[in-house]
């Protein structure tokens, strides 16, 4: 019988670095585009929703014991697994496609201008496939290694980014609530919905203390706030709203004469890409778990290449950044469905499971 291993530290670090990659890469542009003043209001509202969601989700997982959410959904009836598990699978697959295609676009703009798209996609898919095939334990160990190497780099650039800040751009502090209906603000919830689902896939082989995820979420809050306010205080609202990646461009203005490198932000780019590779590998691993447990005759070594081939073909069909944004928007409705149904269903079924286990006849 396989022993259950407590890997709270590794899971917590993985949760943090996955979310850091999403925060710095995509989040600032969406928030800046959603409103012209009082940016802290949409930031804190989104974070409050995220914190509520993971609170419900972690409570449900605690009540499940050593079950994962896949076996939980598959065991509750004939129709419900289709309603609950199929949207998760579609959402995870769409997220993988969006992230790999966005990363490829980013790499071709910043580093590999003359490299064909298919070569960049193959590189990302190969790395993510290798980690996913090795399993969650290898992914968690890789996360620790990447965290030790890259988190100090992130913290260094994060602290240096205040060099060109003009704090007057923080004002006005208050604005209206029109951002709630903004498509850009709805897209910003990608950050809050993409980094917590994997926590329900790891049991029973890997266990972790659920309360640590709440602490990790609070650790992320300053990064969420300043990922938006650093480009705002550097360029102002009017200029920052014209950039796809405002935080990355803001860091490109840092001038440290005592460093020997001309573009020091290249290290930040590589750190973010390594974090997002963990995100992609966990996404592929999660998809493999869903397919494998839903259809036990399948094997991960065959499922992964088929999934990767599908992702590769779809990414090649997407021609440019505008189409990536369209796909990103189409995923919004499914994103809110996942945010609502997965935590609540896990919580309710977990309570029911816990109630049954507590009721044991005597004798």
């Amino acid at each position: 019988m396989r022993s259950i291993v407590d890997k709270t530290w590794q899971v917590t670090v993985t949760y943090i670095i996955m979310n850091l990659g999403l925060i710095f890469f995509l989040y600032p542009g969406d928030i800046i585009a959603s409103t012209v003043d009082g940016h802290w209001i949409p930031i804190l509202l989104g974070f409050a929703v995220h914190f509520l969601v993971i609170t419900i989700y972690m409570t449900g997982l605690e009540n499940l014991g050593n079950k994962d959410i896949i076996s939980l959904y598959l065991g509750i009836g004939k129709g419900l697994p289709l309603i609950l598990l199929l949207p998760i699978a579609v959402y995870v697959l769409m997220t993988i496609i969006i992230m790999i295609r966005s990363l490829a676009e980013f790499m071709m703009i910043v580093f590999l201008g003359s490299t064909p798209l298919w070569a960049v996609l193959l590189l990302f898919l190969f790395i993510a496939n290798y980690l996913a095939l090795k399993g969650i334990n290898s992914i968690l160990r890789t996360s620790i290694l990447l965290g030790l190497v890259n988190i100090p780099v992130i913290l260094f650039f994060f602290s240096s980014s205040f060099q060109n800040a003009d704090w007057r751009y923080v004002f006005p502090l208050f604005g209206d609530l029109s951002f709630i209906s903004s498509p850009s603000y709805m897209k910003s919830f990608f950050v809050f919905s993409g980094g917590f689902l994997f926590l329900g896939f790891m049991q029973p082989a890997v266990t972790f203390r659920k309360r640590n995820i709440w602490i990790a979420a609070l650790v992320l809050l300053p990064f969420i706030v300043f990922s938006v306010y650093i480009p705002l205080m550097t360029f102002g609202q009017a200029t920052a709203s014209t950039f796809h990646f405002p935080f990355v461009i803001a860091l490109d203005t840092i001038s440290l004469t005592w460093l020997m490198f001309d573009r020091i932000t290249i290290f930040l780019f590589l750190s973010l890409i390594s974090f997002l590779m963990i995100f992609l590998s966990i996404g592929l691993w999660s998809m493999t778990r869903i397919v494998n447990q839903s259809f036990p005759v399948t094997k991960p070594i065959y499922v992964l290449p088929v999934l990767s081939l599908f992702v590769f073909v779809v990414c090649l069909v997407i021609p440019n950044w505008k189409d990536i944004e369209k796909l990103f928007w189409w995923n919004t409705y499914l994103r809110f469905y996942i945010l609502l149904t997965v935590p609540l269903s896990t919580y309710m079924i977990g309570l029911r499971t816990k109630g049954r286990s507590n009721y044991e006849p005597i004798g």
Side-chain angles (χ1 to χ4, degrees):
M1 184 176 178
R2 181 184 293 180
S3 60
I4 299 174
V5 182
D6 187 296
K7 295 195 174 181
T8 300
W9 173 243
Q10 294 184 7
V11 173
T12 304
V13 171
T14 302
Y15 171 83
I16 289 174
I17 68 172
M18 283 175 56
N19 281 280
L20 281 178
L22 294 174
I23 289 166
F24 292 137
F25 186 59
L26 295 170
Y27 185 71
D30 290 330
I31 292 295
I32 292 172
S34 68
T35 184
V36 296
D37 46 31
H39 296 81
W40 64 273
I41 301 175
I43 293 172
L44 291 186
L45 179 60
F47 180 79
V49 171
H50 176 68
F51 199 83
L52 177 63
V53 164
I54 62 171
T55 298
I56 298 172
Y57 194 47
M58 292 302 101
T59 305
L61 291 179
E62 282 185 336
N63 293 333
L64 292 181
N66 291 326
K67 286 186 177 180
D68 62 358
I69 62 171
I70 305 173
S71 58
L72 175 73
Y73 289 157
L74 290 174
I76 59 176
K78 295 183 178 179
L80 285 176
L82 186 66
I83 297 173
L84 295 172
L85 202 54
L86 182 61
I88 294 177
V90 174
Y91 176 74
V92 172
L93 187 59
M94 287 186 69
T95 301
I96 293 169
I97 292 170
I98 291 170
M99 285 308 305
I100 287 187
R101 186 60 182 85
S102 300
L103 269 177
E105 189 80 13
F106 182 73
M107 284 288 289
M108 292 171 66
I109 292 172
V110 178
F111 298 113
L112 307 172
S114 59
T115 305
L117 174 63
W118 64 265
V120 181
L121 292 173
L122 281 180
L123 174 63
F124 286 145
L125 283 170
F126 175 79
I127 297 172
N129 264 271
Y130 178 78
L131 288 174
L133 191 59
K134 287 294 183 179
I136 190 60
N137 289 302
S138 296
I139 296 174
L140 294 177
R141 287 193 295 268
T142 305
S143 299
I144 293 294
L145 178 61
L146 292 177
L148 290 173
V149 173
N150 293 316
I151 287 181
V153 176
I154 294 285
L155 292 175
F156 171 74
F157 285 111
F158 192 73
S159 59
S160 302
S161 61
F162 293 93
Q163 179 187 92
N164 300 315
D166 185 343
W167 292 88
R168 291 173 297 179
Y169 284 129
V170 172
F171 301 99
L173 288 175
F174 298 97
D176 56 33
L177 299 179
S178 60
F179 64 85
I180 292 177
S181 60
S182 169
S184 296
Y185 186 61
M186 293 181 184
K187 287 193 296 182
S188 73
F189 277 87
F190 178 82
V191 172
F192 298 125
S193 63
F196 76 93
L197 279 178
F198 82 100
L199 298 169
F201 288 80
M202 294 186 296
Q203 300 177 139
V206 174
T207 62
F208 60 97
R209 292 188 292 275
K210 311 301 185 294
R211 68 179 70 93
N212 283 52
I213 302 301
W214 296 320
I215 299 172
L218 292 175
V219 169
L220 290 171
L221 182 56
F223 296 100
I224 295 172
V225 173
F226 285 109
S227 70
V228 175
Y229 272 96
I230 285 171
L232 280 175
M233 292 187 297
T234 302
F235 303 111
Q237 165 67 29
T239 303
S241 62
T242 62
F243 302 137
H244 287 301
F245 309 106
F247 180 80
V248 174
I249 295 175
L251 292 192
D252 210 23
T253 65
I254 297 174
S255 177
L256 298 174
T257 56
W258 50 272
L259 284 178
M260 61 183 292
F261 303 100
D262 292 331
R263 292 193 65 191
I264 57 176
T265 48
I266 190 172
F267 299 105
L268 175 72
F269 298 156
L270 295 176
S271 297
L272 294 183
I273 289 169
S274 65
F275 289 171
L276 291 173
M277 291 310 300
I278 294 295
F279 180 88
L280 292 173
S281 62
I282 286 184
L284 286 172
W285 173 80
S286 299
M287 276 297 302
T288 305
R289 287 288 306 274
I290 293 173
V291 174
N292 190 36
Q293 289 189 234
S294 301
F295 307 98
V297 295
T298 60
K299 295 181 179 180
I301 196 171
Y302 302 124
V303 174
L304 267 174
V306 173
L307 284 174
S308 299
L309 179 61
F310 177 79
V311 171
F312 178 74
V313 172
V314 173
C315 287
L316 285 179
V317 172
I318 302 173
N320 52 47
W321 183 258
K322 287 185 178 179
D323 292 282
I324 297 173
E325 289 184 327
K326 287 180 183 178
L327 186 61
F328 204 76
W329 172 247
W330 294 340
N331 196 31
T332 300
Y333 302 101
L334 187 57
R335 185 178 311 137
F336 282 100
Y337 179 85
I338 295 296
L339 273 173
L340 180 65
T341 59
V342 173
L344 286 177
S345 62
T346 304
Y347 177 77
M348 295 172 65
I349 299 171
L351 280 180
R352 185 180 176 186
T353 303
K354 184 180 180 181
R356 285 181 175 178
S357 62
N358 288 339
Y359 179 73
E360 296 179 0
I362 300 175

